[in-house]
Each structure stands twice: as C-alpha cells, then as structure tokens.
Amino acid sequence: LVQAGERVIVLGDINAVWFQRNATRIEDSGLTGTRLAGASFHFGTGLGLWPAIDHIFHGPGIERMGKAAIHRDKAGGALPSDHYPVSAVYRFN
C-alpha cells in the first residue's frame, strides 16, 4: 500500500518495544514509528515494567501534529484492559 501511494496508519499492540524486530520490520516497510514515552502494557495492575509495546505508525502523506500519548487515566476507577490506550493527532497532506 505504501508503494501504491495510499495513506496508511497502523496502530496497535505490536508486542515489541520500538527497537525490536516486530516494530523495525514495520518501519522497514516505509512507515514512520511514533515513539511513546513509558509503558503501555501494565499486566492489568497499573505496573509498567517495559517501554511501550503499543505503537502508531504512519506512511507518507501523513504528518503527526504534536506528541503521541499514552492515556493512563482510570475510567470510573478501573484500568482499561491490560494495556493503556495510545493516541496521536495526524494531518493528511
């Protein structure tokens, strides 16, 4: 899709920190990874031991506006699954 000129955003649980093979293979395909600060996986306890394993990648023709975020708020006092949601704002050029 990247080669065909399509605008592509890939996000989700990659099960790898940004420098590990799963993440670097996506970047090698022509997408740009967004570095997220801190842990995104917390074992359902709020305890974050590793850098983010949830990522957002974007292709050509898309520009990230500002920083990406990991949302660590507890909705109604409860943790969201065993991962925190991640987000970023993009502009399509």
Side-chain angles (χ1 to χ4, degrees):
L1 290 175
V2 175
Q3 293 176 349
E6 296 289 332
R7 293 185 177 129
V8 177
I9 294 177
V10 175
L11 64 121
D13 177 4
I14 308 300
N15 279 329
V17 297
W18 66 269
F19 56 83
Q20 291 179 311
R21 183 85 172 129
N22 290 356
T24 59
R25 288 182 78 182
I26 295 170
E27 287 186 334
D28 290 347
S29 76
L31 300 179
T32 301
T34 298
R35 305 288 182 257
L36 291 155
S40 61
F41 175 70
H42 57 75
F43 299 95
T45 65
L47 176 65
L49 299 176
W50 295 288
I53 62 171
D54 298 273
H55 302 280
I56 306 171
F57 300 88
H58 67 278
I62 301 171
E63 177 185 3
R64 190 178 78 241
M65 308 300 294
K67 290 186 174 186
I70 300 174
H71 302 278
R72 294 182 177 88
D73 300 333
K74 293 181 180 180
L79 290 167
S81 78
D82 58 345
H83 292 254
Y84 292 116
V86 299
S87 69
V89 176
Y90 292 90
R91 177 174 63 194
F92 289 74
N93 299 323

